[in-house]
Amino acid sequence: MKVKPGAPALLLSLALTTLTGCSMTETNDSADIPLAGTSTSLAAADTAEKVSSELYDLIGVKGKASETGPGVTECEDKDRDKYFQIFHPWSLVPASAADLSGVMERLKEELPKHGWKVVDYGPDTSKNKNVSLTADNDGKKHSVNIVHYAKENPPRLGLTVLSGCYQIPDGEEIQRF
């Protein structure tokens, strides 16, 4: 599968921007990024992968999911040695392009039934006007941005899951990957 350079970075930037303004209740004062608790970066990455797996199940389309692993990034305006976020960009290429027909509308309706609050939905600003959906889950302290690249060859969904800010446990160091 061809992945355009910078696409994950663009999605991460969008997700970071969106998560900063989300409605999750427990936030820090400086950047309004929700606090996700205390965890090692490896355990937090496992949690992000579980959230991604749950989203895959909600999408309900069989196909080839990319094998991109999670990564660690800094929390804005926080001590980089004590706080971190996990991001997990991945994509889904369906068995048939027709399988993605109506999937974004269905996700817009289904995600709230599973604890997600849709905070943005509609065409993006690209020339293809890709349909984009951003949702926050207060309980899971995660946000997701899903983009339907209908005019790509092959058509696909691009997802970026982003955690709130974790604090590393005392005596531990953040592993960056």
Side-chain angles (χ1 to χ4, degrees), residues 51 55 58 111-112 114-118 135-137 140 142-144:
V51 170
L55 289 165
L58 282 173
L111 284 170
H114 297 273
W116 294 89
K117 178 182 177 186
V118 176
D136 297 327
N137 190 308
K140 295 182 186 303
H142 279 75
S143 181
V144 65

Side-chain angles (χ1 to χ4, degrees), residues 40-150:
T40 64
S41 46
L42 289 174
D46 287 345
T47 299
E49 286 183 315
K50 287 177 186 169
V51 170
S52 288
S53 180
E54 291 169 7
L55 289 165
Y56 177 83
D57 291 343
L58 282 173
I59 291 168
V61 172
K62 299 298 179 202
K64 173 84 171 127
S66 63
E67 296 182 19
T68 309
V72 177
T73 190
E74 297 176 17
C75 289
E76 186 176 328
D77 297 330
K78 290 289 219 178
D79 182 339
R80 73 177 312 269
D81 293 326
K82 293 183 180 179
Y83 295 92
F84 65 94
Q85 284 181 278
I86 299 293
F87 64 96
H88 186 211
W90 57 282
S91 62
L92 174 65
V93 177
S96 165
D99 292 345
L100 291 180
S101 178
V103 72
M104 296 298 281
E105 295 85 6
R106 189 174 49 72
L107 284 170
K108 182 181 175 188
E109 292 186 19
E110 287 297 316
L111 284 170
K113 296 175 185 175
H114 297 273
W116 294 89
K117 178 182 177 186
V118 176
V119 296
D120 189 45
Y121 180 82
D124 65 15
T125 58
S126 72
K127 69 178 181 171
N128 289 337
K129 302 292 184 205
N130 302 310
V131 176
S132 175
L133 179 150
T134 302
D136 297 327
N137 190 308
D138 289 350
K140 295 182 186 303
K141 304 295 186 198
H142 279 75
S143 181
V144 65
N145 177 254
I146 306 170
V147 181
H148 181 195
Y149 296 100

